[in-house]
Amino acid sequence: MAPIRKSAAPAAFRPGATRKLRVPRREQSDSWELLHRQRSASSVGDEDDDEANAMALQLSTPPPEDVSESVELRLVAERVGKEVEVFAETIDKFYDDLAGIGSGDDVEYRAERHEAAHELVVRFKELAEEAAAEVGGQATEDPMLLQEARHFDQEAETWELFRLVIELHHDPNAAGLAERKQDRLAKMGSVHRYTSELQLFDRFLLEDDLAMQRWKIKSWLENSAAQDGVVENLQRRGGNARSGWMHTREKIKGEKRLRTWPSPDSSPLPQLRSKDGELIATSLDPDAALRQDRSLMSEDAANERAMWQVIWAMLRRGAEWPDICEWCEGRQEGWRAMLLERGLAQPDTRSNVAWRKMCTVASRQRGIDDHEAAVYALLGGGNVQAVNAISHGVDDQLFAHFSAALSQQFDHYLQAHYPDRVPQAYRKAAVGSAANADQAQNEINDLIYSLRKKQDTKDEAALPLKIVQSYLLANETESFVHTLGSAIVETGLLTGNTVDLDERIKLSQFPEAGVLASPNGLRIAAHVCLVLQVIREDVLDPEEADVEDNIIEAYIQTLRASGKRDLTPLYASRLQIARYTKAQAKVLEDVKKASEMKQLLNLMIPRDMDVLAVLEHQLSSLLQKLEGGPKETPKFSMLEQSDHETLPGRGIKVNALPMELSLEEERLVQSLGWYIQITGHWKETFSALTRAVRTALVHGRFALAHAIIAQYPSGAITERKSNEVLGQTFDFLSEDEAPTDLALRPRYNVMLRQVKVYMQLEQLIAALATMSVYRNAEAKYLDAKPRPISVPRPLTQAKDLVNDIMGTLLQAPFLVESANEAEAVDLSVIRQVYLTEAIIAYIIILHSAAHVISRGSLLRAMDVPIAVAKEEQGLTGAFVNSGRMGELVELLASCAKALVVLQGSSKKKLVGGRDLGNRIGKDVGIWAVGTQRQTIEGREEVV
């Protein structure tokens, strides 16, 4: 074993950064099998997500049926939630501090960022330790909370290991590091004949980066094991012997009283047997049992095993020789501590090479206790098998490897640089681990791979944090990110598919997917990615960056599922723009309240996120779901055949318009509220509203279009947005509401053009909806028994409103101006389907109203063909293209016929009233049928 000294590593320097080669893409992994140098391509896709529930299980332990009564489970879930928040708060502060550091590629700037990242990981470790202390303090004897506390301890160990990786392999200031090393070596002075081996070991660590890496990882393994309480357990259970081999001594004394006793080891030896019939040693010196090939009394043998177990456990956990000595002497076993003193507590020893070789030989002796053999093997550094024989887990075998590799590497160093320190008998060809970085990398890869396959370690090796640690130990952090990102895609965590999620994780070709099954695994992985983004020297290619983004996006969806949406902008802002627009758009879908929308926008904007791109993606995603298959002419009709006396053979259906929304449609309506909450952005707001309405209409979703118009009326929005954009409130529905300030006129006119299509779509939908209201009121009136003498006011009001809307609609060109070609195509379809339907339904209403309310309604019907015939209106083409021109002509003919019939059957003169609007040229006389007299040249003749 190499010299053990807690302060052996020079504290004032950091070993050189080893530039990590780009890790090629990998094929199928078997956890650490990835590290077994099997490198090939692995495809990574990009999936859409409909629901966030896929990751909900990551934030809480699956509850039992009586979860409401489980205080422990609630405490665990609450603790996990706190960790999410406190980590977000910490990384947020880190980014604020990072903003004050230059962003250039100068060594100075990169060194500052490296130091900031190092401190961040230290803080992560502290947070995990605080969580472990908090949960452990509340756990008492509860096994679940004790396990949770242990998980946080393991997380702290993982962050400490990541800190070592950053320190050892990512320091950007290589020149400064080399200079510090030379300064340190200079302070040590030159090597002379009296230089101790311990001083040479310090020099060895300074001169060899690989040695420093192994020493620090070995120390990490010692410190990690020191937290498990095993030593205290063993000391309580088995280390109680106070007077050596008491039972064997009493057995020998008893025999000596009965007969003459020969000298030690004389032949033949007395035949002393235990209760089990085994031969008992006849001397009490430490080597007697081994030398005589005999046993001790069973009680002494048990105490002997316990003593070696404790000593092994103390060495495994990095205990120093004074602690071991104190413990042994307290049990009158000081000789054991003396055995270890040469390797642990003699700083002035010139060379311990021979002593280490003797320990290795002793560890191979037949008949000694396994733990005694492991102690000798650890001190000698040349018998890993003896240590592995009593290892109880992955970390123990890793410790055996690093300890032996470091000891053998030191012996190589002495033989190469100071051969006089190596006895002549051992000056031969070097064996064991050479100081070669590539070979060392292969050895650790092979070891980790074998641990994944061994029967006694494979289960532990597959635990989430052990998977993370394995990649860190092999300095394969980038590979871990790539593989986990691929596993996230393969298991469907970004698609929202929650069916059999646990089973899919188990069956994944990537065992790294097991990290996702841990409540904290994804959080740790996401924050590792964020740290790598800061310290990484090379820019990832787009495909690799996309794979890394899978992890952060999955964590964002975890936050979304847990209701912590206010934390998502922090993490989304670290993604590529194409990814964060998609990830954050999913989060926005869950927000309903205007106050929450405003709050989330206020969190997104300061992070330089393209909020409009996020809103655009959200809208496009929702519209795409609604569009379905290939675009076809929508089927929309309010009409039905009817032979009622008031109708021209066709009528409007009662409750003609669909008004129920699907869940996806409700989400779309809700999503448009983001445009209202964002300040300004007039063009983008009305472009989005217009797009949503016209898309709904083109795909036959009238209820959706109606809901959008009802939720976001143009009048209210124009008043609000105009004040935000122009500093004044304007009513764009009024033609007389132009700004008096001439400087605002150009901007106002542009804004009017941008809102015009939405306002016209609003008019069209309002016209159809009002016609449906009229028909429902009419049906109620006509079906009433007895029928009321006077026409109900709601019916007349609905009819007047229809007249007002349709009058405006037919007065000027309607839906003929468009912002782009796609909009022009949609508006053409809307004119053919909905506008023609509205005009025909209007004629039917006028025909019916002539019988129910006022015969003058028929005169309005005669205005319709005039509007249709106007070339600038473009209505003729709409009717021709829709194939409804014949239907229009028939209805107008029916109105003309009804006008003649009603005028001829009435004793009163047919007048227009308010239906004519007192306009000049309106005269119903031409519709009179019968004998009329006209004065011609002074004569009255019948015409």
Side-chain angles (χ1 to χ4, degrees):
M1 184 177 187
I4 294 180
R5 176 178 166 186
K6 286 296 180 182
S7 58
F13 89 103
R14 288 183 182 172
T18 302
R19 188 184 244 326
K20 180 178 175 300
L21 298 176
R22 175 68 59 202
V23 180
R25 219 173 299 291
R26 304 158 186 272
E27 195 177 19
Q28 179 171 347
S29 84
D30 190 5
S31 187
W32 292 310
E33 185 171 1
L34 282 179
L35 302 174
H36 201 48
R37 305 180 305 283
Q38 297 182 355
R39 320 247 167 156
S40 54
S42 173
S43 60
V44 179
D46 197 23
E47 306 280 348
D48 288 330
D49 179 16
D50 295 331
E51 300 291 341
N53 294 334
M55 297 303 300
L57 62 89
Q58 309 302 325
L59 284 183
S60 60
T61 305
E65 294 180 0
D66 59 340
V67 66
S68 60
E69 301 300 326
S70 177
V71 177
E72 294 81 5
L73 280 174
R74 287 201 300 273
L75 183 59
V76 169
E78 180 184 355
R79 179 68 257 170
V80 173
K82 286 181 180 178
E83 289 306 301
V84 167
E85 293 175 359
V86 75
F87 265 67
E89 183 180 331
T90 303
I91 196 79
D92 190 22
K93 184 179 182 303
F94 166 73
Y95 286 128
D96 289 342
D97 295 341
L98 203 63
I101 300 176
S103 57
D105 290 331
D106 293 344
V107 172
E108 180 182 354
Y109 291 144
R110 288 191 286 116
E112 289 184 27
R113 293 197 294 271
H114 175 271
E115 183 63 28
H118 183 272
E119 293 176 0
L120 174 66
V121 174
V122 170
R123 180 57 185 151
F124 286 161
K125 174 190 173 184
E126 292 172 351
L127 292 175
E129 290 173 340
E130 291 168 6
E134 180 179 341
V135 176
Q138 298 167 331
T140 60
E141 298 299 324
D142 183 88
M144 173 172 283
L145 292 184
L146 289 172
Q147 182 181 17
E148 189 66 19
R150 179 56 188 148
H151 286 167
F152 281 121
D153 281 332
Q154 291 174 343
E155 180 181 340
E157 296 161 9
T158 304
W159 288 121
E160 172 61 16
L161 181 58
F162 187 39
R163 185 196 67 78
L164 287 177
V165 171
I166 294 174
E167 183 179 290
L168 293 168
H169 302 289
H170 293 276
D171 193 331
N173 191 5
L177 178 62
E179 184 179 347
R180 291 195 299 272
K181 288 168 62 175
Q182 291 303 318
D183 290 344
R184 179 70 179 175
L185 288 170
K187 290 179 180 179
M188 287 184 172
S190 59
V191 178
H192 48 79
R193 63 183 298 180
Y194 298 110
T195 301
S196 70
E197 186 178 88
L198 191 55
Q199 292 171 323
L200 289 178
F201 186 75
D202 286 347
R203 180 178 292 272
F204 164 62
L205 293 179
L206 278 169
E207 293 178 353
D208 195 311
D209 291 341
L210 176 60
M212 178 60 72
Q213 294 169 23
R214 284 172 165 170
W215 184 85
K216 290 203 169 188
I217 291 176
K218 173 178 172 290
S219 299
W220 173 80
L221 289 165
E222 291 173 346
N223 294 331
S224 298
Q227 309 299 322
D228 57 16
V230 170
V231 171
E232 294 78 4
N233 239 356
L234 289 172
Q235 289 174 344
R236 285 195 304 268
R237 286 167 41 202
N240 297 320
R242 299 286 177 177
S243 302
W245 300 336
M246 295 184 296
H247 297 84
T248 303
R249 184 174 65 242
E250 292 302 317
K251 181 73 173 178
I252 294 174
K253 281 185 177 181
E255 290 294 326
K256 283 183 176 180
R257 295 189 190 102
L258 300 176
R259 55 176 162 160
T260 303
W261 201 256
S263 61
D265 295 336
S266 62
S267 181
L269 294 174
Q271 300 293 302
L272 302 183
R273 294 186 180 273
S274 66
K275 296 179 181 178
D276 299 328
E278 294 183 353
L279 288 173
I280 302 300
T282 60
S283 298
L284 296 176
D285 60 279
D287 294 328
L290 181 62
R291 184 178 65 254
Q292 296 177 359
D293 193 20
R294 292 194 174 191
S295 302
L296 302 176
M297 295 293 289
S298 58
E299 296 86 352
D300 293 333
N303 285 333
E304 181 77 4
R305 285 192 299 272
M307 292 289 292
W308 285 116
Q309 284 176 355
V310 172
I311 293 173
W312 156 255
M314 295 177 77
L315 288 174
R316 167 68 181 85
R317 285 148 186 81
E320 297 187 14
W321 184 80
D323 297 326
I324 298 174
C325 183
E326 179 183 357
W327 189 83
C328 291
E329 289 179 349
R331 285 150 183 79
Q332 300 181 16
E333 295 283 339
W335 65 270
R336 299 179 192 271
M338 295 302 296
L339 286 175
L340 312 179
E341 183 181 12
R342 180 71 180 267
L344 301 180
Q346 290 193 4
D348 298 328
T349 302
R350 188 170 183 272
S351 175
N352 276 331
V353 174
W355 183 81
R356 286 194 291 275
K357 298 298 182 183
M358 288 169 29
C359 287
T360 299
V361 172
S363 69
R364 296 191 174 105
Q365 289 295 314
R366 185 175 60 85
I368 66 173
D369 180 76
D370 287 344
H371 284 83
E372 182 180 2
V375 168
Y376 293 141
L378 185 61
L379 296 174
N383 186 7
V384 177
Q385 294 77 13
V387 179
N388 288 338
I390 53 91
S391 295
H392 297 292
V394 170
D395 286 356
D396 284 351
Q397 298 199 30
L398 288 170
F399 176 78
H401 167 79
F402 281 102
S403 180
L406 182 62
S407 182
Q408 292 169 10
Q409 186 179 348
F410 181 56
D411 286 346
H412 278 275
Y413 173 82
L414 291 177
Q415 183 168 320
H417 296 85
Y418 309 102
D420 60 312
R421 301 301 179 100
V422 181
Q424 186 67 37
Y426 301 114
R427 295 179 189 175
K428 55 184 180 180
V431 294
S433 275
N436 180 285
D438 291 337
Q439 181 180 343
Q441 183 70 42
N442 291 338
E443 287 177 358
I444 187 61
N445 288 353
D446 291 341
L447 174 60
I448 293 175
Y449 174 73
S450 67
L451 292 174
R452 178 65 183 87
K453 294 298 184 182
K454 284 183 180 179
Q455 191 66 31
D456 57 339
T457 57
K458 67 178 184 178
D459 290 339
E460 182 187 359
L463 294 175
L465 289 183
K466 288 302 178 187
I467 293 175
V468 178
Q469 291 173 6
S470 69
Y471 279 92
L472 295 176
L473 286 168
N475 189 27
E476 293 276 5
T477 316
E478 296 281 5
S479 297
F480 167 71
V481 170
H482 178 87
T483 310
L484 184 61
S486 303
I488 286 174
V489 173
E490 190 217 29
T491 54
L493 295 184
L494 299 180
T495 66
N497 181 12
T498 61
V499 179
D500 298 330
L501 179 60
D502 289 341
E503 191 65 23
R504 281 185 280 124
I505 290 176
K506 292 178 182 177
L507 297 177
S508 171
Q509 65 169 323
F510 300 101
E512 289 76 11
V515 173
L516 307 173
S518 164
N520 295 313
L522 187 58
R523 171 175 56 80
I524 295 171
H527 287 85
V528 166
C529 291
L530 297 179
V531 174
L532 287 176
Q533 289 178 353
V534 176
I535 64 176
R536 186 184 285 126
E537 294 186 20
D538 301 324
V539 177
L540 294 179
D541 62 54
E543 196 170 343
E544 289 177 326
D546 202 47
V547 176
E548 181 179 74
D549 284 351
N550 288 340
I551 298 176
I552 301 176
E553 183 178 347
Y555 186 60
I556 290 172
Q557 299 311 316
T558 302
L559 297 174
R560 173 192 178 195
S562 64
K564 300 183 183 300
R565 291 183 290 269
D566 56 331
L567 302 181
T568 57
L570 169 63
Y571 296 95
S573 64
R574 314 318 300 178
L575 299 171
Q576 304 169 88
I577 184 170
R579 292 299 297 269
Y580 82 61
T581 53
K582 183 182 77 168
Q584 196 63 23
K586 298 172 189 173
V587 177
L588 301 190
E589 293 179 13
D590 301 332
V591 182
K592 298 180 180 179
K593 295 181 179 179
S595 59
E596 294 180 1
M597 290 182 178
K598 199 69 177 178
Q599 179 183 1
L600 203 52
L601 285 172
N602 291 337
L603 292 171
M604 294 169 62
I605 293 173
R607 301 189 185 282
D608 296 328
M609 298 178 69
D610 189 341
V611 177
L612 289 176
V614 175
L615 300 183
E616 168 65 20
H617 187 280
Q618 180 193 25
L619 179 61
S620 298
S621 176
L622 292 171
L623 287 176
Q624 186 177 10
K625 295 174 185 177
L626 296 176
E627 289 172 358
K631 184 183 294 186
E632 298 178 355
T633 301
K635 296 178 181 179
F636 175 79
S637 178
M638 300 174 62
L639 309 180
E640 62 182 357
Q641 296 295 326
S642 176
D643 55 0
H644 196 277
E645 59 184 6
T646 65
L647 299 174
R650 303 195 69 187
I652 300 175
K653 304 172 187 175
V654 177
N655 298 323
L657 299 177
M659 290 299 172
E660 292 186 2
L661 298 180
S662 66
L663 179 60
E664 292 296 338
E665 290 174 333
E666 289 179 354
R667 294 172 71 178
L668 176 59
V669 175
Q670 173 186 311
S671 71
L672 293 169
W674 289 96
Y675 287 94
I676 312 303
Q677 294 303 321
I678 192 170
T679 303
H681 297 289
W682 173 283
K683 177 182 177 181
E684 292 80 2
T685 299
F686 285 105
S687 175
L689 291 170
T690 301
R691 179 186 174 191
V693 173
R694 62 181 173 82
T695 302
L697 292 176
V698 166
H699 288 84
R701 296 177 179 268
F702 180 85
L704 173 59
H706 182 269
I708 295 172
I709 295 297
Q711 185 76 16
Y712 309 107
S714 61
I717 300 175
T718 54
E719 288 184 7
R720 174 174 178 167
K721 291 288 182 179
S722 62
N723 186 53
E724 294 172 355
V725 175
L726 300 176
Q728 298 180 32
T729 300
F730 293 98
D731 181 8
F732 282 75
L733 295 175
S734 173
E735 297 179 358
D736 302 327
E737 189 74 11
T740 56
D741 187 349
L742 296 180
L744 295 178
R745 287 283 181 89
R747 183 74 181 276
Y748 174 87
N749 291 333
V750 171
M751 293 168 63
L752 182 59
R753 288 195 299 271
Q754 292 169 345
V755 73
K756 184 175 182 179
V757 174
Y758 183 71
M759 293 171 62
Q760 290 183 340
L761 289 172
E762 184 180 36
Q763 287 179 328
L764 176 58
I765 293 171
L768 293 169
T770 307
M771 291 176 189
S772 179
V773 172
Y774 170 85
R775 176 65 185 108
N776 293 341
E778 180 190 56
K780 183 177 180 181
Y781 167 66
L782 295 178
D783 294 342
K785 296 188 185 299
R787 183 180 299 175
I789 297 176
S790 61
V791 178
R793 184 171 180 79
L795 184 57
T796 59
Q797 288 179 334
K799 192 256 183 183
D800 292 341
L801 187 56
V802 170
N803 285 338
D804 292 342
I805 298 175
M806 291 303 296
T808 304
L809 190 148
L810 294 170
Q811 189 176 12
F814 194 79
L815 296 179
V816 294
E817 300 179 12
S818 58
N820 51 59
E821 184 177 351
E823 185 172 278
V825 172
D826 287 349
L827 294 182
S828 176
V829 173
I830 292 170
R831 285 163 56 82
Q832 293 178 31
V833 176
Y834 296 93
L835 184 55
T836 57
E837 183 80 0
I839 293 173
I840 289 175
Y842 179 48
I843 296 173
I844 292 173
I845 286 178
L846 293 176
H847 187 287
S848 173
H851 294 80
V852 177
I853 301 175
S854 168
R855 288 168 290 172
S857 299
L858 290 171
L859 296 177
R860 279 190 176 271
M862 298 301 102
D863 287 338
V864 174
I866 299 174
V868 172
K870 290 181 180 179
E871 185 176 351
E872 64 271 18
Q873 295 279 66
L875 293 175
T876 302
F879 276 99
V880 172
N881 293 334
S882 64
R884 306 190 73 174
M885 182 60 80
E887 184 180 358
L888 174 66
V889 172
E890 289 179 5
L891 287 173
L892 290 173
S894 297
C895 288
K897 179 180 178 181
L899 185 59
V900 171
V901 171
L902 290 175
Q903 173 65 10
S905 62
S906 175
K907 295 180 180 180
K908 296 182 180 180
K909 181 180 179 181
L910 180 61
V911 295
R914 60 185 174 185
D915 277 309
L916 294 180
N918 297 319
R919 289 173 294 183
I920 298 175
K922 290 289 183 179
D923 186 3
V924 299
I926 62 172
W927 298 101
V929 177
T931 302
Q932 299 187 35
R933 292 185 178 275
Q934 185 174 356
T935 301
I936 301 176
E937 295 179 356
R939 304 190 308 272
E940 188 177 84
E941 296 183 0
V942 176
V943 180

